[in-house]
Amino acid sequence: MAGQGNFDWAVPVMRTGYAGRALVYLVVAGISLWAIVHGGQGQSTSSAFARLETAPFGKVVLFAIFVGMLAYAVWRLLDAAFDLEAYGSDGEGIVARIGMCVTGLIHLAIGIGALLLVFTASSGGGESGISKAAGTVLNWPGGRWILAAMGFATIGAGFYYGKKAYKREYRKHLMGNEVTRRWDWLLRLGVLSQGFVVTVIGVFIVYAAWVYDSQSAGGLGDVFSWLSGQPYGQILVGLLALGLLCFALFCAVNAGYRIVPKASDPDIETLKGAFSQSG
């Protein structure tokens, strides 16, 4: 039975996008774990990509990441424009759809970074993309307040991930089948781990606005670095890397089994429904 409307074409774009997102987290978390086991530190996205650049078939993987991130960006923009996941047009729905546009553009930037490494040599690290963006914003009129607002919005997004994990709200977007039921606890852990990372990044951004220093803003690599300085830091870093591997699994499961309300059969049983019946 056809889905609601004529949006069937959006589903393969969505699945490609989530597959690309899964690949990104698999690469970053996998390389981070390898580094930790060998006495190193967790890796930022850019440093993980730079390591991948010199690996066998690394540039093929980088190009696949670019394709996936491009698809994810297109999916998010289409999702927001056509409200494919039925968030609505009230205040909360509009905020959710704006957030889709922002996350789409962020992932497009990640994809472009991967593509550049396919054709050019790595610069070997340097300032993170978030720090560079923070520096640009701080130079705007009222930039400190704009950056602080961005930081608080990022913290809010992190809390949203946490709420989604705590209440298992992600279940309503997934098909209920043996795969999703079996791995549900890992999916929950992955969403929670992503929420932690996003929240800490948001705190970094707010702090950068407070001290008026773009270098205080940072991304995943800075989260790993901050954790490593805590008691039992190396263990915490390893646990977070494992959690992000779970988030890679979450993205992969979404690639295979995510439900798009306006493009899927309305009779498909969700993971939420499957657990409700079993309960």
Side-chain angles (χ1 to χ4, degrees):
M1 181 177 177
Q4 301 173 10
N6 295 310
F7 297 109
D8 291 353
W9 49 267
V11 175
V13 178
M14 177 271 292
R15 301 209 185 285
T16 302
Y18 272 106
R21 201 179 184 204
L23 184 56
V24 168
Y25 281 94
L26 179 63
V27 166
V28 175
I31 290 178
S32 292
L33 279 173
W34 185 91
I36 292 164
V37 168
H38 289 81
Q41 298 294 325
Q43 303 293 299
S44 67
T45 303
S46 58
S47 60
F49 284 3
R51 289 194 177 203
L52 188 62
E53 181 190 12
T54 57
F57 304 105
K59 293 201 172 186
V60 175
V61 177
L62 286 168
F63 186 76
I65 287 173
F66 164 70
V67 172
M69 293 298 90
L70 177 61
Y72 189 79
V74 171
W75 153 246
R76 276 312 187 192
L77 294 174
L78 291 174
D79 191 6
F82 295 104
D83 195 19
L84 298 181
E85 294 187 296
Y87 283 97
S89 299
D90 58 5
E92 186 176 348
I94 292 297
V95 170
R97 291 162 72 178
I98 291 173
M100 292 175 194
C101 294
V102 173
T103 56
L105 294 174
I106 289 172
H107 284 81
L108 179 60
I110 292 173
I112 291 173
L115 182 66
L116 289 175
L117 286 176
V118 174
F119 297 105
T120 63
S122 170
S123 61
E127 188 179 17
S128 76
I130 292 179
S131 295
K132 291 177 183 177
T136 299
V137 173
L138 283 175
N139 288 325
W140 294 350
R144 170 180 279 180
W145 303 108
I146 296 172
L147 186 63
M150 290 177 165
F152 282 118
T154 304
I155 293 172
F159 284 175
Y160 171 74
Y161 274 109
K163 172 175 171 283
K164 187 161 67 170
Y166 177 72
K167 295 188 173 182
R168 292 185 169 96
E169 293 175 349
Y170 58 86
R171 287 178 171 178
K172 65 184 179 183
H173 295 295
L174 293 173
M175 299 177 190
N177 56 36
E178 184 179 352
V179 173
T180 55
R181 285 169 60 93
R182 177 186 302 163
W183 299 113
D184 179 62
W185 68 280
L186 289 177
L187 304 182
R188 189 185 194 192
L189 181 58
V191 175
L192 184 62
S193 299
Q194 175 70 353
F196 173 80
V197 169
V198 172
T199 300
V200 175
I201 289 174
V203 172
F204 287 161
I205 295 172
V206 171
Y207 182 73
W210 177 262
V211 299
Y212 209 80
D213 177 18
S214 64
Q215 295 295 322
S216 296
L220 178 58
D222 298 277
V223 176
F224 278 133
S225 179
W226 171 74
L227 266 185
S228 67
Q230 307 306 310
Y232 306 101
Q234 202 71 346
I235 295 174
L236 294 176
V237 170
L239 290 174
L240 180 57
L242 287 171
L244 292 178
L245 277 180
C246 292
F247 190 70
L249 174 65
F250 173 80
C251 294
V253 168
N254 274 267
Y257 302 110
R258 191 172 181 88
I259 297 170
V260 181
K262 291 189 177 180
S264 300
D265 189 330
D267 296 325
I268 292 177
E269 183 180 40
T270 67
L271 181 59
K272 179 180 178 180
F275 272 104
S276 296
Q277 289 184 13
S278 65

Short mmCIF file of all heavy atoms in Angstrom, two decimals, residues 113-161:
data_model
loop_
_atom_site.label_atom_id
_atom_site.label_comp_id
_atom_site.label_asym_id
_atom_site.label_seq_id
_atom_site.Cartn_x
_atom_site.Cartn_y
_atom_site.Cartn_z
N GLY A 113 33.90 18.60 3.99
CA GLY A 113 35.23 18.38 4.57
C GLY A 113 35.80 17.04 4.14
O GLY A 113 37.00 16.93 3.83
N ALA A 114 34.97 16.00 4.11
CA ALA A 114 35.43 14.69 3.67
C ALA A 114 35.80 14.72 2.19
O ALA A 114 36.82 14.14 1.77
CB ALA A 114 34.34 13.65 3.91
N LEU A 115 35.00 15.41 1.38
CA LEU A 115 35.27 15.48 -0.06
C LEU A 115 36.58 16.20 -0.34
O LEU A 115 37.35 15.79 -1.22
CB LEU A 115 34.11 16.18 -0.77
CG LEU A 115 34.24 16.28 -2.29
CD1 LEU A 115 34.18 14.90 -2.92
CD2 LEU A 115 33.14 17.17 -2.86
N LEU A 116 36.85 17.26 0.41
CA LEU A 116 38.09 18.01 0.20
C LEU A 116 39.32 17.13 0.45
O LEU A 116 40.34 17.27 -0.23
CB LEU A 116 38.13 19.23 1.11
CG LEU A 116 37.15 20.36 0.76
CD1 LEU A 116 37.20 21.47 1.81
CD2 LEU A 116 37.45 20.93 -0.62
N LEU A 117 39.21 16.20 1.43
CA LEU A 117 40.33 15.31 1.70
C LEU A 117 40.54 14.29 0.59
O LEU A 117 41.62 13.72 0.47
CB LEU A 117 40.11 14.58 3.03
CG LEU A 117 40.30 15.42 4.29
CD1 LEU A 117 39.97 14.60 5.53
CD2 LEU A 117 41.72 15.95 4.39
N VAL A 118 39.50 14.04 -0.20
CA VAL A 118 39.65 13.12 -1.33
C VAL A 118 40.57 13.72 -2.39
O VAL A 118 41.36 13.01 -3.02
CB VAL A 118 38.27 12.79 -1.95
CG1 VAL A 118 38.44 11.94 -3.21
CG2 VAL A 118 37.40 12.06 -0.93
N PHE A 119 40.50 15.04 -2.56
CA PHE A 119 41.23 15.69 -3.65
C PHE A 119 42.41 16.52 -3.19
O PHE A 119 43.22 16.96 -4.01
CB PHE A 119 40.27 16.60 -4.44
CG PHE A 119 39.16 15.83 -5.10
CD1 PHE A 119 37.87 15.88 -4.60
CD2 PHE A 119 39.40 15.05 -6.22
CE1 PHE A 119 36.84 15.17 -5.21
CE2 PHE A 119 38.38 14.33 -6.83
CZ PHE A 119 37.10 14.39 -6.32
N THR A 120 42.52 16.78 -1.88
CA THR A 120 43.62 17.60 -1.39
C THR A 120 44.29 16.90 -0.22
O THR A 120 43.75 15.97 0.37
CB THR A 120 43.12 18.98 -0.92
OG1 THR A 120 42.22 18.81 0.17
CG2 THR A 120 42.42 19.72 -2.05
N ALA A 121 45.46 17.38 0.15
CA ALA A 121 46.18 16.81 1.29
C ALA A 121 45.64 17.39 2.58
O ALA A 121 45.19 18.54 2.63
CB ALA A 121 47.68 17.13 1.17
N SER A 122 45.69 16.60 3.65
CA SER A 122 45.23 17.06 4.95
C SER A 122 46.14 18.15 5.48
O SER A 122 47.36 18.13 5.28
CB SER A 122 45.22 15.89 5.94
OG SER A 122 45.01 16.34 7.24
N SER A 123 45.53 19.10 6.19
CA SER A 123 46.32 20.17 6.82
C SER A 123 46.89 19.72 8.16
O SER A 123 47.62 20.47 8.80
CB SER A 123 45.44 21.41 7.03
OG SER A 123 44.36 21.11 7.89
N GLY A 124 46.50 18.51 8.60
CA GLY A 124 47.08 17.96 9.83
C GLY A 124 46.44 18.45 11.10
O GLY A 124 47.04 18.49 12.15
N GLY A 125 45.18 18.83 11.03
CA GLY A 125 44.49 19.24 12.25
C GLY A 125 44.31 20.73 12.32
O GLY A 125 43.93 21.37 11.36
N GLY A 126 44.63 21.34 13.48
CA GLY A 126 44.45 22.76 13.64
C GLY A 126 43.16 23.08 14.37
O GLY A 126 42.57 22.25 15.04
N GLU A 127 42.72 24.32 14.20
CA GLU A 127 41.53 24.79 14.90
C GLU A 127 40.29 24.03 14.44
O GLU A 127 40.11 23.76 13.26
CB GLU A 127 41.37 26.29 14.61
CG GLU A 127 40.29 26.97 15.41
CD GLU A 127 40.20 28.45 15.10
OE1 GLU A 127 40.74 28.87 14.06
OE2 GLU A 127 39.57 29.18 15.90
N SER A 128 39.43 23.70 15.40
CA SER A 128 38.22 22.97 15.04
C SER A 128 37.26 23.85 14.27
O SER A 128 37.31 25.08 14.34
CB SER A 128 37.54 22.45 16.31
OG SER A 128 36.87 23.49 16.99
N GLY A 129 36.36 23.19 13.52
CA GLY A 129 35.37 23.93 12.75
C GLY A 129 34.47 24.77 13.64
O GLY A 129 34.08 25.88 13.28
N ILE A 130 34.12 24.25 14.83
CA ILE A 130 33.27 25.00 15.74
C ILE A 130 33.99 26.23 16.26
O ILE A 130 33.40 27.31 16.37
CB ILE A 130 32.81 24.09 16.90
CG1 ILE A 130 31.85 23.01 16.37
CG2 ILE A 130 32.13 24.90 18.00
CD1 ILE A 130 31.35 22.04 17.41
N SER A 131 35.27 26.11 16.55
CA SER A 131 36.04 27.28 17.00
C SER A 131 36.11 28.34 15.92
O SER A 131 35.98 29.54 16.19
CB SER A 131 37.46 26.85 17.41
OG SER A 131 37.43 26.02 18.54
N LYS A 132 36.30 27.91 14.67
CA LYS A 132 36.35 28.86 13.57
C LYS A 132 35.01 29.57 13.40
O LYS A 132 34.95 30.78 13.21
CB LYS A 132 36.72 28.13 12.26
CG LYS A 132 38.14 27.61 12.22
CD LYS A 132 38.40 26.84 10.93
CE LYS A 132 39.81 26.26 10.90
NZ LYS A 132 40.04 25.44 9.68
N ALA A 133 33.93 28.79 13.48
CA ALA A 133 32.60 29.38 13.36
C ALA A 133 32.33 30.34 14.51
O ALA A 133 31.76 31.42 14.31
CB ALA A 133 31.54 28.28 13.32
N ALA A 134 32.76 29.97 15.73
CA ALA A 134 32.58 30.84 16.88
C ALA A 134 33.33 32.15 16.71
O ALA A 134 32.83 33.23 17.05
CB ALA A 134 33.04 30.14 18.16
N GLY A 135 34.54 32.08 16.15
CA GLY A 135 35.32 33.29 15.89
C GLY A 135 34.61 34.21 14.91
O GLY A 135 34.62 35.44 15.07
N THR A 136 34.01 33.62 13.89
CA THR A 136 33.27 34.42 12.91
C THR A 136 32.09 35.12 13.56
O THR A 136 31.86 36.32 13.36
CB THR A 136 32.77 33.52 11.76
OG1 THR A 136 33.90 32.92 11.10
CG2 THR A 136 31.97 34.33 10.75
N VAL A 137 31.34 34.37 14.38
CA VAL A 137 30.15 34.94 15.03
C VAL A 137 30.54 36.04 16.01
O VAL A 137 29.87 37.08 16.09
CB VAL A 137 29.36 33.83 15.76
CG1 VAL A 137 28.23 34.43 16.59
CG2 VAL A 137 28.80 32.84 14.75
N LEU A 138 31.64 35.86 16.74
CA LEU A 138 32.06 36.87 17.71
C LEU A 138 32.42 38.19 17.04
O LEU A 138 32.37 39.25 17.68
CB LEU A 138 33.26 36.35 18.51
CG LEU A 138 32.94 35.33 19.61
CD1 LEU A 138 34.22 34.81 20.24
CD2 LEU A 138 32.03 35.93 20.67
N ASN A 139 32.76 38.16 15.77
CA ASN A 139 33.09 39.38 15.03
C ASN A 139 31.86 40.11 14.51
O ASN A 139 31.98 41.22 13.99
CB ASN A 139 34.04 39.07 13.88
CG ASN A 139 35.44 38.73 14.35
OD1 ASN A 139 35.92 39.30 15.34
ND2 ASN A 139 36.11 37.82 13.67
N TRP A 140 30.70 39.51 14.64
CA TRP A 140 29.47 40.16 14.21
C TRP A 140 29.02 41.17 15.26
O TRP A 140 29.39 41.06 16.43
CB TRP A 140 28.35 39.13 14.03
CG TRP A 140 28.55 38.15 12.93
CD1 TRP A 140 29.49 38.17 11.96
CD2 TRP A 140 27.78 36.96 12.71
NE1 TRP A 140 29.38 37.08 11.13
CE2 TRP A 140 28.32 36.32 11.57
CE3 TRP A 140 26.69 36.39 13.35
CZ2 TRP A 140 27.80 35.14 11.06
CZ3 TRP A 140 26.16 35.22 12.86
CH2 TRP A 140 26.71 34.61 11.72
N PRO A 141 28.22 42.17 14.86
CA PRO A 141 27.61 43.05 15.87
C PRO A 141 26.74 42.21 16.82
O PRO A 141 25.91 41.43 16.37
CB PRO A 141 26.74 44.00 15.03
CG PRO A 141 27.37 43.98 13.66
CD PRO A 141 27.90 42.58 13.48
N GLY A 142 26.96 42.36 18.10
CA GLY A 142 26.23 41.56 19.08
C GLY A 142 26.60 40.09 19.03
O GLY A 142 25.84 39.23 19.50
N GLY A 143 27.79 39.80 18.51
CA GLY A 143 28.19 38.41 18.29
C GLY A 143 28.25 37.59 19.55
O GLY A 143 27.92 36.40 19.54
N ARG A 144 28.66 38.21 20.67
CA ARG A 144 28.73 37.45 21.93
C ARG A 144 27.36 36.90 22.31
O ARG A 144 27.24 35.73 22.72
CB ARG A 144 29.27 38.34 23.04
CG ARG A 144 29.15 37.73 24.42
CD ARG A 144 29.70 38.64 25.49
NE ARG A 144 31.15 38.54 25.58
CZ ARG A 144 31.88 39.26 26.46
NH1 ARG A 144 31.28 40.10 27.27
NH2 ARG A 144 33.19 39.11 26.51
N TRP A 145 26.33 37.71 22.16
CA TRP A 145 24.98 37.28 22.54
C TRP A 145 24.43 36.26 21.56
O TRP A 145 23.73 35.32 21.96
CB TRP A 145 24.06 38.50 22.64
CG TRP A 145 24.57 39.51 23.61
CD1 TRP A 145 25.11 40.73 23.32
CD2 TRP A 145 24.65 39.37 25.03
NE1 TRP A 145 25.51 41.37 24.47
CE2 TRP A 145 25.23 40.55 25.54
CE3 TRP A 145 24.26 38.36 25.92
CZ2 TRP A 145 25.45 40.74 26.90
CZ3 TRP A 145 24.48 38.55 27.27
CH2 TRP A 145 25.05 39.73 27.75
N ILE A 146 24.77 36.44 20.29
CA ILE A 146 24.34 35.46 19.28
C ILE A 146 24.99 34.11 19.56
O ILE A 146 24.33 33.06 19.52
CB ILE A 146 24.67 35.95 17.86
CG1 ILE A 146 23.89 37.23 17.54
CG2 ILE A 146 24.38 34.86 16.83
CD1 ILE A 146 24.30 37.89 16.24
N LEU A 147 26.29 34.14 19.87
CA LEU A 147 27.01 32.90 20.15
C LEU A 147 26.45 32.23 21.41
O LEU A 147 26.28 31.00 21.45
CB LEU A 147 28.50 33.17 20.31
CG LEU A 147 29.39 31.94 20.47
CD1 LEU A 147 29.33 31.06 19.23
CD2 LEU A 147 30.84 32.35 20.76
N ALA A 148 26.15 33.04 22.43
CA ALA A 148 25.58 32.47 23.65
C ALA A 148 24.23 31.81 23.36
O ALA A 148 23.94 30.72 23.86
CB ALA A 148 25.41 33.56 24.70
N ALA A 149 23.42 32.48 22.53
CA ALA A 149 22.11 31.89 22.16
C ALA A 149 22.30 30.58 21.42
O ALA A 149 21.57 29.61 21.66
CB ALA A 149 21.33 32.88 21.30
N MET A 150 23.30 30.53 20.53
CA MET A 150 23.60 29.28 19.82
C MET A 150 24.01 28.19 20.80
O MET A 150 23.63 27.02 20.65
CB MET A 150 24.71 29.51 18.79
CG MET A 150 24.31 30.35 17.60
SD MET A 150 25.72 30.63 16.50
CE MET A 150 24.88 31.21 15.03
N GLY A 151 24.81 28.57 21.79
CA GLY A 151 25.26 27.60 22.77
C GLY A 151 24.10 27.04 23.58
O GLY A 151 24.01 25.82 23.79
N PHE A 152 23.20 27.92 24.03
CA PHE A 152 22.05 27.45 24.80
C PHE A 152 21.13 26.59 23.93
O PHE A 152 20.54 25.62 24.41
CB PHE A 152 21.29 28.63 25.39
CG PHE A 152 21.94 29.21 26.62
CD1 PHE A 152 22.39 30.52 26.62
CD2 PHE A 152 22.10 28.44 27.76
CE1 PHE A 152 23.00 31.05 27.76
CE2 PHE A 152 22.71 28.97 28.89
CZ PHE A 152 23.17 30.28 28.90
N ALA A 153 21.00 26.95 22.65
CA ALA A 153 20.20 26.13 21.74
C ALA A 153 20.82 24.74 21.58
O ALA A 153 20.12 23.72 21.51
CB ALA A 153 20.07 26.81 20.38
N THR A 154 22.15 24.69 21.53
CA THR A 154 22.86 23.42 21.42
C THR A 154 22.66 22.58 22.68
O THR A 154 22.43 21.36 22.61
CB THR A 154 24.35 23.64 21.17
OG1 THR A 154 24.51 24.45 19.99
CG2 THR A 154 25.09 22.33 20.96
N ILE A 155 22.74 23.22 23.85
CA ILE A 155 22.46 22.51 25.10
C ILE A 155 21.04 21.96 25.08
O ILE A 155 20.79 20.82 25.49
CB ILE A 155 22.66 23.45 26.30
CG1 ILE A 155 24.15 23.82 26.44
CG2 ILE A 155 22.16 22.79 27.59
CD1 ILE A 155 24.42 24.88 27.48
N GLY A 156 20.10 22.78 24.59
CA GLY A 156 18.71 22.32 24.49
C GLY A 156 18.59 21.11 23.60
O GLY A 156 17.84 20.16 23.90
N ALA A 157 19.35 21.10 22.49
CA ALA A 157 19.33 19.94 21.59
C ALA A 157 19.89 18.71 22.29
O ALA A 157 19.39 17.59 22.12
CB ALA A 157 20.13 20.24 20.33
N GLY A 158 20.94 18.92 23.10
CA GLY A 158 21.50 17.80 23.86
C GLY A 158 20.51 17.23 24.85
O GLY A 158 20.36 16.01 25.00
N PHE A 159 19.78 18.12 25.55
CA PHE A 159 18.75 17.67 26.48
C PHE A 159 17.63 16.94 25.74
O PHE A 159 17.04 15.98 26.28
CB PHE A 159 18.17 18.86 27.25
CG PHE A 159 19.07 19.38 28.34
CD1 PHE A 159 18.73 20.51 29.06
CD2 PHE A 159 20.25 18.74 28.66
CE1 PHE A 159 19.54 20.99 30.07
CE2 PHE A 159 21.09 19.21 29.67
CZ PHE A 159 20.73 20.33 30.38
N TYR A 160 17.35 17.41 24.52
CA TYR A 160 16.31 16.74 23.73
C TYR A 160 16.71 15.30 23.43
O TYR A 160 15.89 14.38 23.54
CB TYR A 160 16.07 17.50 22.43
CG TYR A 160 15.17 16.78 21.46
CD1 TYR A 160 13.79 16.70 21.68
CD2 TYR A 160 15.69 16.15 20.33
CE1 TYR A 160 12.96 16.02 20.81
CE2 TYR A 160 14.87 15.47 19.46
CZ TYR A 160 13.51 15.41 19.70
OH TYR A 160 12.69 14.73 18.82
N TYR A 161 17.99 15.09 23.06
CA TYR A 161 18.48 13.73 22.84
C TYR A 161 18.33 12.91 24.13
O TYR A 161 17.94 11.73 24.11
CB TYR A 161 19.95 13.74 22.42
CG TYR A 161 20.18 13.90 20.95
CD1 TYR A 161 20.70 15.09 20.43
CD2 TYR A 161 19.92 12.87 20.06
CE1 TYR A 161 20.94 15.24 19.07
CE2 TYR A 161 20.15 13.00 18.71
CZ TYR A 161 20.66 14.20 18.21
OH TYR A 161 20.89 14.33 16.88
#
